Amino acid sequence: MDSTVVQYRHAGPDGDAVRTPMEAFNYPAWNLISFERGAAIPLYQQLFAQLRTLIVEGRIPRGARLPPSRLLSDELGLSRNTVVLAYEKLATEGYLQKRIGAGTFVERVFPEDHLPRPPAIEPPAEPQLAKPSARAEALLALDVPPERIERFGLSPGIPALNEFPYEVFARLAGQHWRAHAASHTGYDYARATPPLSLQIAAYLEETRGMVCRPEQILILSSTVQAAALAAHVLLNHGDRVLLEDPGHVTQMGTLTACGLEVEPVPVDEHGFDITAIDNRDPLPRLAVVSPIEQFPFGCTMSPARRRALLDWVRAGDRWILEDDFNSEIRWAGDPVSPLHASAPERVVYTSSFNRVLAPGLRLAYLVVPPGTVDAFKLAQRIFSFYAPLPDQALVAAFMSSGHLASHLRRMRAIYRERAGALADCLREHLGDGYIVPDVKAGLHLTIRSRREIDDRAIARRLIEREMDCPPLSRYCRSALRRHGFVLGFGNNPIKQIRRYAEILAQTAEQLG
């Protein structure tokens, strides 16, 4: 196509091939087209992308006529079907126009022409730095720990990602999308009770002793969203909220952003102690607790502490937000009923599928008291705290077919073995300098130093060794400071756990 005249063959009256002069398509841009044959990207996609770039950049002018598909396929050494597919895709996306009997032409108006362009703004003589709100300043002061690094060793709260039932989910996903359920791709989340709410209600009654209607269950993306909803529906601006210390700092940030007065309450081996709070006015109206294998301290609330907390919540206009994220993963000890089972009218219960399946699902749920259902659902709609309906449908199918129960039985055995291996290795390498507990549930093990150490410096050094062992002191907010490390065992095989325990002990000895 580098000549000014292009000849092409056609059949003459006697059947012989005849060459006839034809309009030239001699845009210099044709020389820029090249292909990576054998690549994963189909040739028609490669041709489409290059033609689109040449058109948008103006190398092939607007309104220009393109070569017929047969001619271009000969010139580029492609099948005609490849060129036809590229042309059709360009036409579908608004770059080409087909005129019957005339040919294929570049559009004069492109999709990009309708996109807004940033206005030219004169920079101020003295740039004014934007100042965040007082609530944002309070959030910045919280020193929120970073997200977990799942590929690093001993990262807490991460399940065994390689054990995720990928094949089962792939099969369920195929069945789901082949069903062409339009209701799962629209906006109407509230049209009917989601199938996942039905499954969760049955699951909670069977495994947790909780009796609730499916209508009381809201499907969200995280338990942090659950805390935000509870704050907006149940509390007023400035209300006091009790939070475990050390505790979930992101949850603290959420409640702070809602304009609440968050008060840390130190926990010990027996868990949250409601009798230790300050009874000053205004009295607290919400206690946020994790009764089983609390994060990060690792304690389980004693029966006496549970009774005291339940007595407290029944004594006035008060609420409990129960964050129950470790109950499903229990392999030793007696089962512990959730607080919600004893006071369903005053306990808002939340949990998620992050640990039992995978955090990437971003699926959590909230069980609200019967009298608050309408208010919670309206707040959910206002804040658009939803989880994707297709993902809900997959997990619902996973549960209804019995796969979740089977998966949990298998994973409990794996986590029990890994937790035991980590505890044994830590006791062997750390000696008496740290308290290493026996873990009966969950995915993390918290070790506490018997003396004050710079656990943050040690944690920073471990990050350099590709180990994610957050310091316990970073989760503390009251005057009572604990030092140690929050360690995960869920996502590491035993061989790796032993090596990481040795590295942790060496680093702690060097810097401790």
Side-chain angles (χ1 to χ4, degrees):
M1 286 192 185
D2 51 358
S3 61
T4 57
V5 175
V6 176
Q7 302 266 340
Y8 72 102
R9 293 177 182 270
H10 69 90
D14 55 359
D16 294 334
V18 178
R19 290 187 180 275
T20 305
M22 181 182 173
E23 179 184 347
F25 304 99
N26 61 335
Y27 312 126
W30 298 122
N31 297 323
L32 302 176
I33 296 178
S34 62
F35 302 96
E36 185 179 350
R37 300 179 186 271
I41 302 175
L43 289 174
Y44 87 91
Q45 289 275 24
Q46 296 184 42
L47 179 59
F48 159 78
Q50 294 183 70
L51 286 177
R52 177 186 175 279
T53 299
L54 295 172
I55 289 171
V56 171
E57 292 179 350
R59 294 172 182 263
I60 300 178
R62 299 177 187 235
R65 184 184 177 201
L66 294 189
S69 58
R70 188 182 301 279
L71 178 60
L72 186 59
S73 66
D74 290 343
E75 287 292 327
L76 298 179
L78 302 172
S79 71
R80 185 185 179 194
N81 190 51
T82 297
V83 178
V84 169
L85 287 174
Y87 275 12
E88 288 180 349
K89 187 171 175 60
L90 285 164
T92 300
E93 296 195 11
Y95 297 99
L96 296 184
Q97 182 186 77
K98 294 182 179 180
R99 302 177 192 168
I100 297 176
T104 302
F105 295 82
V106 177
E107 286 278 12
R108 295 191 178 276
V109 179
F110 298 158
E112 288 82 358
D113 294 342
H114 303 291
L115 299 177
R117 290 174 172 78
I121 300 177
E122 290 292 331
E126 296 183 5
Q128 299 292 320
L129 298 178
K131 184 178 180 180
S133 67
R135 283 182 296 179
E137 294 283 3
L139 292 179
L140 293 171
L142 284 179
D143 186 26
V144 178
E147 293 287 344
R148 301 276 58 86
I149 310 175
E150 59 196 35
R151 69 182 185 279
F152 280 14
L154 303 185
S155 189
I158 308 296
L161 298 179
N162 64 320
E163 299 288 345
F164 182 81
Y166 293 100
E167 294 299 325
V168 176
F169 264 78
R171 184 172 67 253
L172 294 174
Q175 295 170 356
H176 170 77
W177 289 113
R178 282 194 295 271
H180 295 182
S183 61
H184 287 162
T185 52
Y187 274 111
D188 195 3
Y189 280 76
R191 181 180 57 84
T193 301
L196 185 54
S197 294
L198 297 170
Q199 292 299 322
I200 291 173
Y203 172 78
L204 291 175
E205 183 174 3
E206 178 182 352
T207 64
R208 309 295 294 123
M210 289 174 51
V211 179
C212 59
R213 302 193 315 273
E215 296 79 24
Q216 294 175 244
I217 300 174
L218 280 63
I219 310 299
L220 312 169
S221 291
S222 70
T223 56
V224 174
Q225 286 186 354
L229 277 183
H232 284 289
V233 173
L234 304 177
L235 304 177
N236 298 314
H237 190 277
D239 278 349
R240 278 175 70 196
V241 176
L242 307 176
L243 204 65
E244 296 165 320
D245 182 62
H248 198 316
V249 183
T250 307
Q251 215 168 48
M252 176 178 284
T254 299
L255 299 171
T256 300
C258 291
L260 303 171
E261 181 187 342
V262 181
E263 180 179 325
V265 178
V267 298
D268 56 21
E269 288 78 3
H270 303 290
F272 184 91
D273 186 5
I274 192 65
T275 64
I277 68 169
D278 181 1
N279 285 318
R280 63 179 171 83
D281 288 331
L283 293 174
R285 296 194 57 228
L286 175 70
V288 184
V289 297
S290 298
I292 300 173
E293 293 296 324
Q294 186 262 355
F295 185 89
F297 199 65
C299 55
T300 294
M301 197 180 299
S302 68
R305 297 274 179 92
R306 289 167 58 91
R307 287 192 297 270
L309 182 58
L310 290 170
D311 289 342
W312 171 84
V313 77
R314 293 190 184 106
D317 184 17
R318 301 162 183 171
W319 304 91
I320 293 173
L321 175 59
E322 181 178 13
D323 191 353
D324 188 15
F325 53 82
N326 277 326
S327 294
E328 291 90 348
I329 308 173
R330 172 173 284 275
W331 56 82
D334 296 330
V336 181
S337 297
L339 297 169
H340 183 279
S342 300
E345 73 287 351
R346 281 290 163 184
V347 177
V348 182
Y349 178 94
T350 185
S351 189
S352 78
F353 294 96
N354 287 351
R355 288 169 175 77
V356 298
L357 287 173
L361 289 175
R362 294 292 183 183
L363 276 176
Y365 53 93
L366 181 67
V367 183
V368 304
T372 65
V373 172
D374 291 342
F376 267 99
K377 288 192 173 181
L378 178 58
Q380 181 186 31
R381 180 159 61 87
I382 289 172
F383 292 106
S384 193
F385 282 169
Y386 293 114
L389 288 173
D391 294 345
Q392 293 188 40
L394 292 184
V395 174
F398 187 77
M399 296 176 74
S400 65
S401 56
H403 289 301
L404 178 62
S406 176
H407 179 72
L408 281 172
R409 286 192 293 268
R410 186 170 66 88
M411 297 312 299
R412 286 188 190 106
I414 292 174
Y415 295 141
R416 178 183 64 234
E417 187 177 15
R418 293 181 179 182
L422 178 58
D424 291 343
C425 291
L426 291 171
R427 292 187 183 107
E428 176 185 352
H429 295 293
L430 289 174
D432 296 331
Y434 288 81
I435 300 172
V436 181
D438 290 319
V439 178
K440 300 177 181 179
L443 294 175
H444 75 280
L445 182 157
T446 299
I447 59 174
R448 285 172 284 142
S449 175
R450 297 184 186 275
R451 60 186 179 85
E452 185 173 331
I453 60 171
D454 189 352
D455 53 1
R456 298 194 181 202
I458 297 172
R460 287 193 296 269
R461 181 66 59 85
L462 290 171
I463 285 289
E464 298 173 2
R465 305 288 300 272
E466 295 194 348
M467 291 176 58
D468 179 23
C469 306
L472 181 57
S473 64
R474 191 162 194 176
Y475 295 92
C476 298
R477 289 297 177 267
S478 64
L480 180 60
R481 289 277 169 173
R482 274 76 170 239
H483 299 85
F485 304 95
V486 187
L487 311 174
F489 49 80
N491 198 33
N492 297 126
I494 289 179
K495 184 178 180 180
Q496 292 180 351
I497 284 174
R498 293 193 179 107
R499 181 169 63 87
Y500 289 138
E502 292 179 11
I503 296 173
L504 171 62
Q506 293 169 2
T507 307
E509 183 178 0
Q510 292 170 1
L511 301 181

